[in-house]
């Protein structure tokens, strides 16, 4: 597991049914590209988050496949729309096999 | 290779990184054999479908100071899948996005790296199977891939 990985999500607590709202997510991660070399001229192995998946009550909202071209501390913003209260679940998949997850409850108001 | 200030700074950062992730594999800094070209990445996404120009909005500055983190917004109304390619990067494919039933728009924002000035490509697969393609020229002052 990479050191100091922290997830941050921004989701409204309450929305109106059918309203479009935006979700922002961020995970702290060094996103080592595998292209850099160290002082000895040796390549630093690739270590990135390669997939991000967001679901609402089990249904996919967005599913992203990421390459090393995504900048350090991957950030995403996207839109969602719901008709019932429920839980957004966010999952990040690391090259080293670690899986990081976070969740947010949203109610209809 | 002449040693510049940038090398020294990068190298000292790398030493710290190696300490964290364990010993690096003894490899030459050569072109990654697994890296696919932009054309290959594009062909893989298109899979022989009909391609038409336009239809994807790439919101990206024309001039980027710092290639290490570039905010990019993509919007492809009606698309089911998006792909972003930076042909000038060592690893051209950047991001694939699949939109599910919970998604309200075909808009996504993220931050990418840009290695040099280049023409960024965005592809969008439409529900009828065709692919829309838009390009955007971007000038990069400091590359973000080394």
């Amino acid at each position: 597991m990479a050191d100091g990985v922290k997830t941050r999500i921004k989701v409204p607590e309450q929305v109106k049914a059918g309203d479009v709202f935006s979700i922002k997510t961020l995970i702290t991660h060094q996103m080592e590209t595998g292209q850099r070399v160290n002082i000895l001229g040796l390549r630093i192995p690739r270590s990135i988050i390669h997939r991000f998946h967001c679901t609402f009550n089990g249904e996919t909202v967005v599913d992203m496949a990421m390459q090393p071209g995504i900048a350090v501390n991957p950030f995403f913003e996207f839109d969602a729309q719901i008709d019932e209260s429920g839980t957004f679940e966010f999952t990040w998949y690391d090259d080293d096999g670690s899986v990081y997850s976070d969740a947010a409850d949203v109610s209809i108001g | 290779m002449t040693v510049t200030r940038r090398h020294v700074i990068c190298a000292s950062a790398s030493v710290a990184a190696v300490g964290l992730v364990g010993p690096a594999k003894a490899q030459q800094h050569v072109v990654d054999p697994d890296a696919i070209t932009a054309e290959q990445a594009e062909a893989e996404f298109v899979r022989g479908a009909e391609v038409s120009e336009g239809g994807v909005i790439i919101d990206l500055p024309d001039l980027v100071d710092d290639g290490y983190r570039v905010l990019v917004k993509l919007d492809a109304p009606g698309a089911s899948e998006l792909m972003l390619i930076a042909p000038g990067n060592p690893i051209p494919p950047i991001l694939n996005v699949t939109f599910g039933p919970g998604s309200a728009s075909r808009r996504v924002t993220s931050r990418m790296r840009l290695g040099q000035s280049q023409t960024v490509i965005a592809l969008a697969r439409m529900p009828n199977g065709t692919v829309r393609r838009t390009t955007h020229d971007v000038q990069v002052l400091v590359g973000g891939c080394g």
Side-chain angles (χ1 to χ4, degrees):
Chain A
M1 185 182 279
D3 279 351
V5 172
K6 230 188 228 175
T7 62
R8 254 182 256 167
I9 52 176
K10 199 170 174 190
V11 184
E13 282 177 12
Q14 201 176 53
V15 296
K16 290 202 174 87
D19 267 10
V20 175
F21 56 94
S22 90
I23 295 178
K24 292 180 183 175
T25 71
L26 187 131
I27 183 164
T28 55
H29 195 279
Q30 83 281 9
M31 296 292 279
E32 186 59 62
T33 61
Q35 299 292 307
R36 299 194 310 146
V37 291
N38 65 15
I39 197 167
L40 304 172
L42 303 178
R43 189 196 288 245
I44 305 167
R46 174 184 131 152
S47 172
I48 67 165
I49 305 250
H50 61 264
R51 183 180 171 214
F52 168 69
H53 190 202
C54 171
T55 60
F56 177 72
N57 290 349
E59 274 201 332
T60 296
V61 180
V62 288
D63 195 348
M64 315 218 196
M66 299 145 70
Q67 300 283 344
I70 292 291
V72 69
N73 300 339
F75 158 81
F76 292 112
E77 183 181 353
F78 48 90
D79 294 329
Q81 191 177 20
I82 56 175
D83 296 320
E84 50 177 0
S85 301
T87 307
F88 281 97
E89 281 177 17
F90 306 88
T91 319
W92 292 262
Y93 297 85
D94 198 314
D95 271 354
D96 66 11
S98 310
V99 176
Y100 313 103
S101 55
D102 207 337
D105 292 325
V106 182
S107 59
I108 295 292
Chain B
M1 187 175 85
T2 54
V3 176
T4 62
R5 185 172 172 274
R6 182 182 296 185
H7 289 129
V8 174
I9 293 172
C10 282
S12 49
S14 314
V15 169
V18 166
L20 294 175
V21 298
K25 277 184 204 153
Q27 277 180 324
Q28 295 265 313
H29 184 45
V30 290
V31 177
D32 192 342
D34 299 332
I36 59 170
T37 64
E39 290 76 23
Q40 284 170 326
E42 202 173 327
E44 219 168 84
F45 183 87
V46 172
R47 295 198 293 256
E50 190 188 321
V51 180
S52 55
E53 293 290 325
V56 189
I57 299 160
I58 309 178
D59 188 351
L60 187 70
D62 294 332
L63 179 69
V64 170
D65 292 337
D66 177 11
Y68 278 92
R69 39 180 72 209
V70 184
L71 192 71
V72 55
K73 297 179 190 174
L74 300 174
D75 191 358
S80 58
E81 214 180 322
L82 270 177
M83 184 175 193
L84 181 63
I85 302 172
N89 281 14
I91 304 167
I94 304 283
L95 181 68
N96 284 65
V97 186
T98 310
F99 294 98
S103 164
S105 72
R106 300 300 176 250
R107 198 175 66 85
V108 63
T109 304
S110 187
R111 277 194 291 254
M112 68 197 249
R113 292 181 167 115
L114 286 172
Q116 56 180 308
S117 298
Q118 56 185 286
T119 303
V120 172
I121 305 168
L123 301 167
R125 192 187 318 282
M126 308 308 281
N128 63 7
T130 61
V131 171
R132 311 297 305 265
R133 181 184 192 273
T134 302
T135 59
H136 189 284
D137 293 328
V138 57
Q139 297 289 317
V140 179
L141 292 185
V142 179
C145 289

